[in-house]
Every structure is written in C-alpha cells, then in structure tokens.
Amino acid sequence: MEQADQTTRLVDDLLFIARADAGEPRLDMRPISVNSLLNAACKDFNAKAQQNEIRIEQAMSAKNAVVMGDAGRLRQVVSVLLDNALRYSKKGDKVEVGLARASKSIVFTVRDTGIGLTEEESRQAFQRFYRGGYAQGHARGTGLGLPVAKAIVEAHKGSITLEGKPGKGVLATVTLPAEEKLKAVA
C-alpha cells in the first residue's frame, strides 16, 4: 500500500508540473493564513527533527500573513523544504523557519545549517531529477521535490530561490503575493 501511495504521489506531482508548464495548474484558491500553514508544517516535522536531534525554530515576524492560494499545495512546498532541510542536516543542527512581510508580498524562509550546496547546484536544483553531488551521497531522493515546489510557487504567481555554500547550509526563500482583503481564513 505504501509503495502504491508513493507511486500515486509521484504521478500526481509529475502531472502537476506538466499542467503548470502548460499554464493550466489545478488549484483550489482561497485565502490562506501562512502563519497557520507554517506552524502546522513545523509540528508535522517535529518528531522527525527530534529523532535526528535537530531543532526546528520559528522566527515569524509577520502576523496575519495571508495569501490567496491552494492550502494543500502550499503545504506541500513547506513540506519539501522542511524535509530537505532535515534530510541534509546533521545531529545537533538547527532548522529555522521564518516569515516576514515585504511591501505587497509574504516571504517565508527555511534555513538549515547542513551540508549546503554549491552555486552551480543552487542554479540546477529546480531541474527535474537533478540531485547535487553532496545530496547523492547523503540521502535518497528522486530529484522531484524542488521542481514540484517551484511549479507550485510559480502557479501562485510567486518565486522560490535557494542560496548556500558547501558545509554552511541552505537558505530557501519563497515569496508570494500578499492577500490584501480581509476575509475569513482557512
């Protein structure tokens, strides 16, 4: 059952990328509290972090950060970033999740202190099936997480970047348009 679920998720992710490339992503758009989204994702990954003796810290300066988006897909982006941060960190490291507001956008970050990546790897990381040299020897993966995250973020009219240095960790930054209208938030 687990392998069937994993295969279904893989096919779903590939279909989402293909639809996004064709300009037809399927999203259930509604106002989303980014604060709640990040808090829930951090809670979900807390057990994995504790198991690996890694701390997840939150530094959320923005209050009531709301975007128009698909909650499930945005949660998937945060999950990809947290999973990568934990996967490529060592015991005793920390992962910091940040949230801030910049003029008309909401910016959230996931910073780790793990194995890092080169400038070349950061440019290629969003290509399908690409896995950097450090990543290949450190943890298993398909090389689809970041391309899917990028497709989701861009379908939300946002941007995603990675910065890092070998041995110094990675900073993932997601910028999304802020929702200005006050509405009930899911």
Side-chain angles (χ1 to χ4, degrees):
M1 283 298 278
E2 188 176 315
Q3 286 180 334
D5 288 344
Q6 186 175 3
T7 301
T8 300
R9 281 192 304 274
L10 181 65
V11 170
D12 184 50
D13 288 344
L14 288 169
L15 281 171
F16 184 86
I17 291 172
R19 287 182 182 125
D21 286 349
E24 300 174 8
R26 295 184 182 165
L27 299 170
D28 181 17
M29 303 293 277
R30 59 186 64 187
I32 306 296
S33 165
V34 182
N35 303 75
S36 297
L37 186 83
L38 292 175
N39 284 327
C42 287
K43 231 183 244 183
D44 288 348
F45 280 88
N46 226 3
K48 182 178 181 178
Q50 288 175 353
Q51 182 181 18
N52 295 324
E53 297 177 30
I54 299 169
R55 295 181 326 277
I56 296 178
E57 297 179 358
Q58 297 181 43
M60 297 196 223
S61 62
K63 303 290 182 235
N64 302 321
V66 178
V67 298
M68 185 61 75
D70 183 314
R73 287 297 182 178
L74 290 175
R75 179 90 173 251
Q76 186 177 3
V77 170
V78 179
S79 294
V80 165
L81 298 178
L82 279 171
D83 185 56
N84 281 352
L86 293 173
R87 185 182 298 210
Y88 299 113
S89 293
K90 304 173 298 305
K91 286 186 180 194
D93 283 352
K94 76 172 180 176
V95 171
E96 185 177 283
V97 177
L99 176 62
R101 184 162 186 124
S103 64
K104 295 185 182 226
S105 46
I106 303 297
V107 179
F108 70 83
T109 57
V110 177
R111 178 187 302 271
D112 68 63
T113 54
I115 66 170
L117 72 165
T118 66
E119 197 173 308
E120 179 65 23
E121 288 171 329
S122 69
R123 277 194 296 276
Q124 294 183 36
F126 295 106
Q127 293 178 15
R128 287 175 222 162
F129 307 111
Y130 176 79
R131 297 198 66 226
Y134 293 114
Q136 288 180 22
H138 195 78
R140 290 181 40 199
T142 61
L144 278 177
L146 288 171
V148 170
K150 182 179 185 208
I152 292 168
V153 169
E154 289 179 349
H156 284 83
K157 311 268 188 277
S159 64
I160 183 171
T161 61
L162 290 180
E163 299 172 35
K165 291 188 178 178
K168 303 284 185 188
V170 173
L171 171 65
T173 304
V174 175
T175 305
L176 297 167
E179 176 65 16
E180 299 298 330
K181 301 175 194 112
L182 294 175
K183 299 177 185 175
V185 177

